[in-house]
Amino acid sequence: MEKEKQMTTEVRTIENAEEKRRICRAILEALPEWFGIPEAREEYVSESADKLFFAAMDGENPVGFLCLKETGRDTVELYVMGVLKARHRTGAGRALVEAAKRAAREAGMPVIGSCHDFEKTPDAEEMAARLCRMAALGADVCKIAVMPRRRRDVVALTAACAQADDALTQPIIAISMGEMGMPTRICAEAMGSCLSFGTAGAASAPGQMEAGALREALALVHRALAREAQEF
């Protein structure tokens, strides 16, 4: 594995809308492998103007940036981030993430580390390692969501969640997506996941349950676990 070469990077909060757009455009245009669709790139540039914006600077030259998007009264998420290839693995990206984490915590928001794989389910050891990596990077809550292709993938997600829950002090959220993964939403507590997700209306993805039905199912699991705990 290539070692990270530390270089001096100053992270600044950028307030000026035009400067945000200028930095965003310069960095994203230099990263065509990831931001090669002009329409999508210009949307990021335009939308960055009114968002919380951090720039990684080498002197007066921007080498990376990170934008946070407000998604609710008490929530923000990483909207877009880019670092020049010449500054990959030099600490610039880490400095930007640290600045974002500080801003969130200063606003009273916990930091959720999140990993989604919409194509497949990695093996259990890899998923547990990703959750532990989130914790090592300072996440207050560690989340993973994966797509199962066979039944054993659901079992692997369950095992990874239990392994990480045993190893970490941070709460874990683990979801196997799709209809096949629905049992992980119902048995979240049993496998060590602190949260499940139910819909208040139409589901936005396969496998999501209506909140009332999910509440009833979770209550059944909770009562069964409580009885088992009493017996031991």
Side-chain angles (χ1 to χ4, degrees), residues 19 42 53 75 83 106 115 125 155 165 174 202 206 221 225:
E19 187 176 4
E42 284 306 308
F53 192 106
T75 57
V83 176
E106 287 170 3
C115 174
E125 289 297 324
V155 176
D165 187 51
V221 173
L225 292 174

Side-chain angles (χ1 to χ4, degrees), residues 24 49 64 102 145 180 190 218:
C24 181
R102 283 194 301 272
M180 190 182 298
L218 291 173

Side-chain angles (χ1 to χ4, degrees), residues 54-206:
F54 302 96
M57 306 294 292
D58 182 358
E60 294 304 312
N61 299 313
V63 298
F65 77 97
L66 182 152
C67 278
L68 292 178
K69 176 182 178 181
E70 187 174 333
T71 56
R73 186 179 63 182
D74 300 310
T75 57
V76 294
E77 68 179 16
L78 197 161
Y79 175 63
V80 63
M81 175 182 179
V83 176
L84 295 178
K85 285 193 290 185
R87 294 301 297 264
H88 285 187
R89 304 198 65 78
T90 66
R94 183 185 294 268
L96 286 165
V97 171
E98 289 298 323
K101 288 195 299 186
R102 283 194 301 272
R105 289 187 174 125
E106 287 170 3
M109 302 175 186
V111 175
I112 300 177
S114 184
C115 174
H116 285 69
D117 192 326
F118 294 99
E119 300 297 327
K120 65 185 185 305
T121 297
D123 63 48
E125 289 297 324
E126 170 61 23
M127 290 187 284
R130 290 183 188 182
L131 290 165
C132 291
R133 177 64 173 162
M134 294 176 206
L137 290 172
D140 301 308
V141 180
C142 305
K143 176 189 175 186
I144 190 165
V146 295
M147 182 63 73
R149 297 301 179 187
R150 51 190 179 174
R151 288 179 297 175
R152 69 181 64 179
D153 288 343
V154 179
V155 176
L157 185 278
T158 301
C161 180
Q163 181 179 337
D165 187 51
D166 287 341
L168 302 175
T169 58
Q170 290 90 337
I172 304 298
I173 301 171
I175 298 172
S176 187
M177 296 182 279
E179 299 289 348
M180 190 182 298
M182 189 181 294
T184 65
R185 300 176 185 274
I186 297 171
C187 298
E189 182 180 359
M191 66 189 199
S193 182
C194 73
L195 180 147
S196 193
F197 174 79
T199 64
S204 59

